[in-house]
Every structure is written in structure tokens, then in C-alpha cells.
Amino acid sequence: KLTFEDSAAIGDDTSGNGNDWTVNNLVASDVVLDSPTNNFAVLNPLSKAAGEPAGTKEGNTHFIITSGSNYCSLATTVGASSGKWYCEGVIKASSAIASARTGGGVLRFDDPRNDAIGAAATGWGYGSNGTLYNLGNNVTGAASLAVNDVFMLAIDLDAGKMWVGKNGTWESSGDPATGTGEQFSNLTGD
């Protein structure tokens, strides 16, 4: 049984039988919490906007704009049409500060239609400049994002609510756990 949980002993057999594997071309940073029994959404490289020169790396956990438009986008490998969902991302470079949006029940980074985030009735956005969008309108202000910030999105598609936050703090004293202080209350799972 290989759980790959110990970055100091990546090939350890955790079944107790001692069938350890010899590690080749793997380092501690290659160890992730994702496994068949503890699965996380990753970026889907097959779902990027047409013609965009975006790239992904490290098991599709990073989104890198290599050149061109900052409207590059990728869907994740897990969709959502009902229930409660949470995602977060880390801004790694100032030249690629992302916007976060949700639309059509799928969390995305930036807008897949090559227009402004949150431009459609079924698109809600959290811009890197701290602006919240729906129907292309500035809905209200939020904290702006900078390098090393963690942006947070929580949605309750059954209640039609969305919360945004930064670095462990929800905007407007929001609390997704209690369903209060949301930034949007008009989400649909379409």
C-alpha cells in the first residue's frame, strides 16, 4: 500500500509488508494530499478558452499565463450544480494575478468567454482589484489581491449564495457555515 504521505519516504509501503519502492525523479514537493480516496479538483487543461496560450504544471494544480491575454481560463475537473462548495487559490506572481469567478455551477479562474469576469447573468466574479461583479456590474468592493494572497470562494448553490474572502477572512463578516453575510444571493446551478 503506497499512500505517498511521507515526503521524506515517498515510496514507503504502509501495509506493513515492507514492499518499499525505490523513488526515481521525485522530490518532497511532488507529494500532494490528493489520492483516489481523498480527491481534489484540479485544473482541466482540455477546457481552456480557444486560442489561449495558457499552460498548466504540477499535476494541473498551477495555472500559468505564458503570454498573451489575461483572459485565459480553465475549468476544474469537478463540476457543481447543487450543494455547498469551497475553493481557494494562491496568487504566485504579480504578472499573473488572477480573478476568481463562478458561473454555470463550475468554479473557474477568470472568465471562459474572453470578456469581463461576471459579465453574464450566470457569472459571478471576484476581481484581483477587489471588485465583485455580476452582469458586468461592480456590485460592491472587496479586498484586493496581491502576490502570496490566498483567495477564497464558497458557494451554496441550493441557497444561491456566494462568499469571497482573502487570507482566511471572509468579506463583510460573512460566514458560509451559518449562511450569513454573503456577497451574492442570486446564484443558480445552471
Side-chain angles (χ1 to χ4, degrees), residues 164-187:
V164 299
K166 176 177 114 171
N167 299 330
T169 302
W170 295 105
E171 288 294 322
S172 307
S173 301
D175 187 352
T178 62
T180 59
E182 69 276 359
Q183 279 66 56
F184 296 105
S185 58
N186 62 338
L187 269 72

Side-chain angles (χ1 to χ4, degrees), residues 27 30 73 130:
V27 295
D30 292 324
S73 65

Side-chain angles (χ1 to χ4, degrees), residues 53-72:
T56 58
K57 70 176 210 175
E58 297 290 332
N60 291 322
T61 60
H62 299 179
F63 181 43
I64 300 169
I65 299 172
T66 54
S67 64
S69 172
N70 62 359
Y71 291 115
C72 300

Side-chain angles (χ1 to χ4, degrees), residues 40-47 55-57 59-64 73-78 107-109:
F40 292 87
V42 294
L43 299 172
N44 184 346
L46 302 177
S47 182
T56 58
K57 70 176 210 175
N60 291 322
T61 60
H62 299 179
F63 181 43
I64 300 169
S73 65
L74 293 170
T76 66
T77 55
V78 176
L107 294 175
R108 292 184 186 260
F109 302 102

Side-chain angles (χ1 to χ4, degrees), residues 100-103 117-127 130-142 152-157 159-165 171-172 174 176 179-188:
R101 71 174 290 279
T102 179
I117 61 171
T122 56
W124 297 267
Y126 175 23
T131 303
L132 299 171
Y133 300 95
N134 179 235
L135 287 169
N137 298 314
N138 175 345
V139 176
T140 185
M152 311 175 329
L153 289 171
I155 59 173
D156 181 343
L157 289 171
K161 296 180 178 183
M162 176 180 162
W163 294 262
V164 299
E171 288 294 322
S172 307
T180 59
E182 69 276 359
Q183 279 66 56
F184 296 105
S185 58
N186 62 338
L187 269 72
T188 65

Side-chain angles (χ1 to χ4, degrees), residues 137-149:
N137 298 314
N138 175 345
V139 176
T140 185
S144 61
L145 300 171
V147 174
N148 294 322
D149 281 343

